[in-house]
């Protein structure tokens, strides 16, 4: 059977290994497995969201309100924008897919940092579009400007993952706005704010406000309920932009693209900002333990504005071997070899999880 040529060399996205795999392959009891590979919230999610999901099951036979009125209104109030400036996706990565299909074709291109969220490149390859990246792994605005100007006629989508997954760094908002001002009105700058709650909590200079993005003619802000809100399993994301952009990409949204329990959970989660504060405080308190560990053990780390930290190893240590050895002991971390890095990404967990991971990691390095 023949398939479209653009998928012949397309990689399959490598998600963090599930707990079930470790239980199945290594015979480790579930309570002894620590998964810090997928940047999930170690505190779970808001009790309000849990209760809302339970209640929503009674309506499992009914489609959700496809206008997503209440969720959009809640987001609009949270960010001081209009609900007409919001599109809902099954995770923010679905909104990324909408954008790519709205703007790219085989004669156009996307631009991103050298190492960033893998789905940008994968979605571009779905379409057969060209891919340009900076030579630096992290976001380098000078290099992004150079690449954009060199390929201005081709580049129609630019991704700024702020803060950046899988590395953790984050640009200052003022520099981002200056960069956007130099991009023409027919190229869309995507501000992927999946981890923005963490960044703006740590440093207000990093905060990108959706209300500012709506005023621009060439930008969109993406957010998600998967990280700070702890609803990764519910798959709810959103895009916020001006009327023209939202109208265009909304045409690509299939009806009922999130479930009734997902919708209920997201609406309830927004109401519990106390849970978000608890999540953020726990995250950066526990992150200090990882930073101290890295310093004491001669490991380079990237200062992180997210809910994970990236450890980079010299040639005497191999990230694949380290991750494999830990996996056999019931600890799941994210190996970054697939990104061309001898590094591991570790989600910040609970105090108990973090202690166990670092004690085990110490023996492997």
């Amino acid at each position: 059977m023949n398939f479209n040529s653009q998928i012949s060399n397309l990689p399959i996205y490598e998600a963090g290994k599930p707990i079930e795999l470790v239980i199945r392959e290594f015979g480790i009891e579930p309570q002894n497995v620590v998964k810090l590979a997928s940047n999930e919230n170690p505190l779970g999610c808001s009790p309000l969201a849990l209760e809302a999901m339970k209640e929503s099951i009674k309506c499992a036979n009914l489609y959700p309100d496809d206008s997503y009125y209440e969720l959009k209104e809640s987001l609009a109030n949270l960010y001081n924008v209009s609900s007409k400036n919001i599109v809902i996706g099954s995770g923010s990565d679905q909104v990324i897919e909408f954008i790519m299909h709205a703007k790219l074709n085989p004669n156009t291109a996307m631009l991103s940092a050298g190492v960033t969220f893998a789905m940008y490149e994968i979605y571009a390859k779905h379409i057969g579009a060209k891919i340009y990246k900076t030579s630096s792994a992290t976001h380098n605005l000078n290099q992004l400007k150079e690449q954009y100007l060199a390929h201005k006629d081709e580049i129609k989508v630019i991704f700024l993952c702020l803060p950046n997954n899988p590395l953790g760094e984050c640009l200052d908002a003022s520099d981002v706005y200056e960069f956007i001002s130099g991009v023409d009105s027919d190229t869309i700058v995507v501000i992927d704010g999946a981890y923005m709650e963490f960044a703006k909590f740590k440093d207000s200079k990093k905060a990108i406000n959706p209300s500012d993005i709506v005023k621009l003619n060439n930008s969109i802000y993406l957010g998600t309920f998967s990280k700070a809100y702890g609803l990764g399993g519910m798959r709810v994301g959103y895009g916020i932009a001006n009327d023209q952009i939202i109208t265009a990409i909304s045409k690509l949204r299939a009806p009922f693209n999130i479930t009734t329990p997902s919708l209920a959970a997201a609406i309830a989660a927004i109401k519990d900002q106390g849970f978000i504060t608890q999540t953020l405080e726990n995250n950066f308190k526990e992150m200090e333990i990882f930073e101290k560990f890295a310093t004491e053990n001669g490991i380079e780390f990237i200062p992180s504005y997210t809910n994970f930290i990236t450890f980079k190893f010299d040639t005497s240590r191999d990230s694949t071997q380290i991750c494999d050895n830990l996996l056999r002991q019931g600890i799941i971390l994210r190996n970054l070899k697939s990104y061309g890095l001898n590094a591991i990404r570790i989600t910040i967990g609970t105090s108990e999880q973090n202690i166990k991971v670092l004690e085990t990691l110490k023996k492997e390095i």
Side-chain angles (χ1 to χ4, degrees), residues 28-44:
I28 299 172
E29 294 296 321
Q31 66 271 19
N32 295 325
V33 177
V34 176
K35 182 188 178 188
L36 296 182
S38 299
N39 306 335
E40 295 149 330
N41 191 326
L43 305 183

Side-chain angles (χ1 to χ4, degrees), residues 14 34 51 71 98 150 183 207 214 230 342:
E14 181 185 340
V34 176
E51 191 58 38
L71 177 56
F98 297 159
V183 176
V214 165
N342 184 30

Side-chain angles (χ1 to χ4, degrees), residues 4-60:
N4 290 337
S5 59
Q6 63 262 33
I7 72 168
S8 59
N9 295 315
L10 191 66
I12 296 174
Y13 180 75
E14 181 185 340
K17 290 181 172 60
I19 292 173
E20 292 80 5
L21 179 146
V22 178
I23 296 169
R24 185 171 60 248
E25 291 194 4
F26 303 112
I28 299 172
E29 294 296 321
Q31 66 271 19
N32 295 325
V33 177
V34 176
K35 182 188 178 188
L36 296 182
S38 299
N39 306 335
E40 295 149 330
N41 191 326
L43 305 183
C45 67
S46 164
L48 297 182
L50 282 174
E51 191 58 38
M53 283 185 275
K54 292 176 184 176
E55 187 66 23
S56 73
I57 295 300
K58 297 175 184 177
C59 300

Side-chain angles (χ1 to χ4, degrees), residues 167-211:
L167 300 181
E169 89 284 357
C170 192
L171 297 169
D172 282 354
S174 58
D175 294 331
V176 173
Y177 292 132
E178 181 182 353
F179 173 80
I180 293 173
S181 69
V183 176
D184 69 40
S185 60
D186 195 42
T187 297
I188 188 166
V189 181
V190 181
I191 308 298
D192 188 343
Y195 299 88
M196 182 54 67
E197 288 90 351
F198 297 93
K200 66 183 182 182
F201 180 85
K202 183 176 182 179
D203 185 350
S204 61
K205 295 195 299 295
K206 309 297 182 184
I208 301 290
N209 298 313
S211 57

